[in-house]
Amino acid sequence: MLELTRITAGYDRRDPVVREVSLHVAAGEAVGLLGPSGCGKSTLAKVAALLHRPDAGTVTLDGTVVRGWRHRAPREQRTAVGVVFQQPRLSADPRLSLRELIAQPLRSTGRRRDVPERVAELAPLVGLSEELLERRPHAVSDGQLQRACLARALVLEPRLLICDEMTAMLDASTTAALVAVVERYRSESGAALLAVGHDRVLLERWCDRTVRWGERTAGSERVAVG
Amino acid sequence: MTSDHDPAAEGAEVPVLAVENLSVRFRMRGGRDIAAVTDARFSVAPGECLALVGESGCGKSVLASALLGLLPGNAETTGSAVLGGDTDLLTADERTLARTVRGRRIGLVPQSPAAHLTPVRTVRAQVEESLRELTGVRGSALGKAALVAAARAAFPEGHLDRYPHELSGGLAQRAATALALIGDAPLLLADEPTTGLDRDLVERTVDELRRHTDEGRALLIITHDLAAAERIADRVAVMYAGRIVEIADAAPFFGAPGPRHPYARGLLDALPERDFAPIPGMPPELGALPDGCAFAARCAYADARCTDERPAFASDLACHHAPTGRTHPLKEAADA
Ligand code: SF4
């Protein structure tokens, strides 16, 4: 499903935060990528989500090598991947209601007509009431907003879901609820999962296997062996 | 100063903080009221750590802001929060809070240390400024005092000349803790000090806070991280929908026999190392709380009494079906 090969990436070519990292996620598989905060695993998640162009290495999605990132990624690749980040407030447009937020990917891919049906399917799945759907981000809790962000990530029915510290700010019950939503979606769709996080107990419970981010040692390669 | 929590056990020691019937209401436009905190009652003794746990939006951060006098203008507080037996934090004026309380009598360990530190100044400059302000140390003695202050929070000397953005999450947390300790405040208030830190760092951070508590300070830690609470706390207060629903000693709460309140039980059962099962539904809005128990809509043991009548907080518990253990359905199920 997803093949990351010797990825080097970062924000300064002279000092990349990801160096020569390889990772493999098979179709339908749930892989946990475990690492300390600030290690570069979020950057790798952005590369895998086609949101950040790596300096070197290749990303292969369903057997096709990725050649463009962000808006330059071909639509069928972009829509194959759904992503949820740690901080819902940074990834949600404050002017949109939760309903509009969830519908955003449908609108931007010209599927406006599907909005009512898909939102009606997803809202109960993530536990959002009609009343909550009409609110804007400032009027809901972090947990409620993250529920909407998860629905947004699922709205195009991705074959790969990437959750980057999705529950790091959330309480135990909301964490368990969101993981249950992801797992229900995966069991129905067969989608694969890359869950990036720092909580070993959580990722080991959630995923088929976990991969530990290599220790940072000066000069040596850091390879997450897939 | 007396409080409900058994002060006799500690001798007649004055609690560092005694909170009685603390409520916070936000007046919203259109006359709507948000009941962010209602009738909170707890105390913290010297050398003791109380963990206030609950999910985001349950009112625990509002409670912390109330104690620091940092609530917005549309907030109304009632009740009392007496510091050291003599200063009510709810009625003290801003001048008193700024000059004698914050930093001097309450040290704040902030939620996001990187944001709390001043970005354009080195850690050394910030530590020295706090020392000048809070301890009166001046001149050539400052350099040495800064080293001592850094060492207390295990902040490495070699990193003192770095700027906050050059620090890892763990070191930023230690820098913030070093600042919080400078005034030698008898009460430390830590607001979600472990958010976003990985497990090893969570453990190191709470172990360091525990060490400062063992030196005789009182620590009130506000967190949604139950593993962190288990590691550090002597007692746990569980907050739900603006109310404290249970206060318990940490060992029986996290171990056997476990929490008495159904919400607290559900929260622990949701942990990935336990059942990993969410509590169904979501908490009610603080602006539209039901008449009865705020947890009734999600509680497997709710009956007509629960939906009609709000359970009072008595014997450290607010639940109609728990106090004796005999009538508690959870207890019965566990015994069966
Ligand atoms: S009072 Fe009733 S509804 Fe509330 S927690 Fe207790 S049993 Fe459940």
Side-chain angles (χ1 to χ4, degrees):
Chain A
M1 173 73 231
L2 171 71
E3 187 82 58
L4 301 170
T5 312
R6 300 177 72 100
I7 298 290
T8 295
Y11 308 91
D12 176 352
R13 270 185 178 270
R14 286 158 304 176
D15 186 20
V17 289
V18 176
R19 275 178 218 262
E20 306 240 343
V21 173
S22 298
L23 183 72
H24 172 77
V25 182
E29 189 187 26
V31 175
L33 176 60
L34 192 61
S37 48
C39 73
K41 61 191 193 302
S42 287
T43 304
L44 189 70
K46 287 207 182 77
V47 171
L50 313 187
L51 295 173
H52 185 93
R53 171 185 276 282
D55 298 335
T58 49
V59 179
T60 311
L61 207 55
D62 270 339
T64 309
V65 173
V66 174
R67 308 224 174 265
W69 270 261
R70 303 195 80 98
H71 56 278
R72 290 210 180 81
R75 176 175 292 180
E76 40 323 333
Q77 286 189 335
R78 238 188 308 145
T79 58
V81 185
V83 57
V84 190
F85 298 104
Q86 172 174 358
Q87 303 234 26
R89 306 227 170 252
L90 299 182
S91 63
D93 185 334
R95 294 163 303 182
L96 300 182
S97 68
L98 299 197
R99 179 190 303 283
E100 291 162 336
L101 189 77
I102 296 169
Q104 225 177 10
L106 288 171
R107 289 178 193 280
S108 60
T109 52
R111 292 175 53 191
R112 188 176 293 261
R113 262 183 305 144
D114 298 340
V115 169
E117 191 191 324
R118 285 298 286 148
V119 173
E121 280 168 16
L122 281 166
L125 192 70
V126 297
L128 291 175
S129 65
E130 279 296 312
E131 193 261 332
L132 283 170
L133 286 175
E134 298 314 318
R135 296 206 205 164
R136 304 226 181 122
H138 71 87
V140 301
S141 69
D142 287 346
Q144 289 164 340
L145 189 54
Q146 194 65 304
R147 287 169 191 265
C149 289
L150 176 56
R152 176 178 61 181
L154 297 179
V155 78
L156 297 179
E157 300 182 89
R159 293 193 303 282
L160 169 68
L161 187 64
I162 297 177
C163 298
D164 181 11
E165 296 277 17
M166 175 176 74
T167 62
M169 321 239 318
L170 306 176
D171 64 283
S173 177
T174 309
T175 296
L178 289 188
V179 168
V181 171
V182 169
E183 286 311 298
R184 189 165 151 197
Y185 170 72
R186 291 201 329 110
S187 72
E188 284 165 6
S189 67
L193 168 74
L194 175 61
V196 176
H198 64 265
D199 187 336
R200 185 181 53 78
V201 181
L202 171 67
L203 291 188
E204 284 178 354
R205 179 80 185 245
W206 181 2
C207 300
D208 300 324
R209 64 186 172 97
T210 55
V211 175
R212 201 172 271 273
W213 189 267
E215 290 297 314
R216 181 169 208 158
T217 43
S220 74
E221 282 186 359
R222 285 180 294 157
V223 181
V225 184
Chain B
M1 190 64 226
T2 59
S3 90
D4 272 7
H5 170 67
D6 195 16
E10 320 265 20
E13 199 161 21
V14 175
V16 177
L17 177 68
V19 173
E20 291 287 337
N21 302 324
L22 167 60
S23 297
V24 182
R25 296 277 170 283
F26 290 109
R27 294 241 167 275
M28 306 304 275
R29 266 169 299 178
R32 213 162 56 102
D33 253 18
I34 306 265
V37 179
T38 303
D39 279 340
R41 247 182 291 158
F42 63 86
S43 66
V44 201
E48 184 190 45
C49 169
L50 176 71
L52 186 61
V53 304
E55 55 204 272
S56 80
C58 74
K60 59 192 195 305
S61 298
V62 172
L63 198 154
S65 302
L67 298 178
L68 292 165
L70 297 175
L71 288 171
N74 64 335
E76 277 175 18
T77 56
T78 52
S80 65
V82 177
L83 186 65
D86 57 28
T87 304
D88 185 349
L89 298 168
L90 303 186
T91 54
D93 55 76
E94 172 54 29
R95 190 160 174 264
T96 307
L97 291 170
R99 291 200 168 188
T100 69
V101 173
R102 292 194 291 263
R104 293 171 203 268
R105 297 184 68 186
I106 304 180
L108 176 68
V109 181
Q111 171 160 14
S112 45
H116 190 77
L117 299 165
T118 311
V120 295
R121 301 179 57 213
T122 64
V123 176
R124 188 190 306 277
Q126 296 183 54
V127 168
E128 290 186 352
E129 182 190 284
S130 283
L131 282 165
R132 265 193 302 267
E133 217 174 90
L134 296 172
T135 67
V137 177
R138 291 273 181 286
S140 56
L142 261 180
K144 191 144 172 265
L147 296 185
V148 173
R152 270 166 101 189
F155 185 89
E157 207 181 303
H159 289 59
L160 273 170
D161 291 315
R162 298 207 175 177
Y163 291 91
H165 72 268
E166 297 174 321
L167 300 175
S168 67
L171 285 187
Q173 184 57 260
R174 288 190 201 177
T177 307
L179 290 173
L181 293 172
I182 283 174
D184 253 326
L187 176 65
L188 286 180
L189 200 163
D191 185 8
E192 300 278 7
T194 62
T195 297
L197 301 184
D198 40 320
R199 223 3 84 202
D200 296 350
L201 259 164
V202 167
E203 293 182 354
R204 240 187 294 153
T205 302
V206 300
D207 289 352
E208 279 165 20
L209 287 171
R210 181 71 237 187
R211 187 162 56 80
H212 303 308
T213 312
D214 291 337
E215 287 166 4
R217 294 179 183 86
L219 171 63
L220 176 61
I221 179 173
I222 292 175
T223 185
H224 70 267
D225 183 342
L226 295 167
E230 175 170 10
R231 195 172 172 97
I232 194 173
D234 297 301
R235 286 187 302 135
V236 187
V238 183
M239 209 163 170
Y240 184 75
R243 287 174 186 265
I244 292 177
V245 295
E246 177 170 1
I247 296 185
D249 286 335
F253 181 89
F254 289 109
R260 293 190 289 161
H261 195 280
Y263 170 68
R265 248 172 211 266
L267 210 51
L268 285 192
D269 285 344
L271 286 171
E273 53 268 54
R274 301 196 185 199
D275 293 348
F276 206 28
I279 304 168
M282 282 191 277
E285 299 289 325
L286 294 174
L289 290 172
D291 291 336
C293 174
F295 190 58
R298 308 172 74 186
C299 182
Y301 310 102
D303 59 14
R305 186 165 169 226
C306 298
T307 43
D308 288 351
E309 186 192 321
R310 183 171 293 147
F313 185 71
S315 309
D316 287 343
L317 187 71
C319 175
H320 287 309
H321 296 297
T324 64
R326 235 165 16 98
T327 53
H328 197 322
L330 285 166
K331 184 76 169 56
E332 277 167 23
D335 288 346

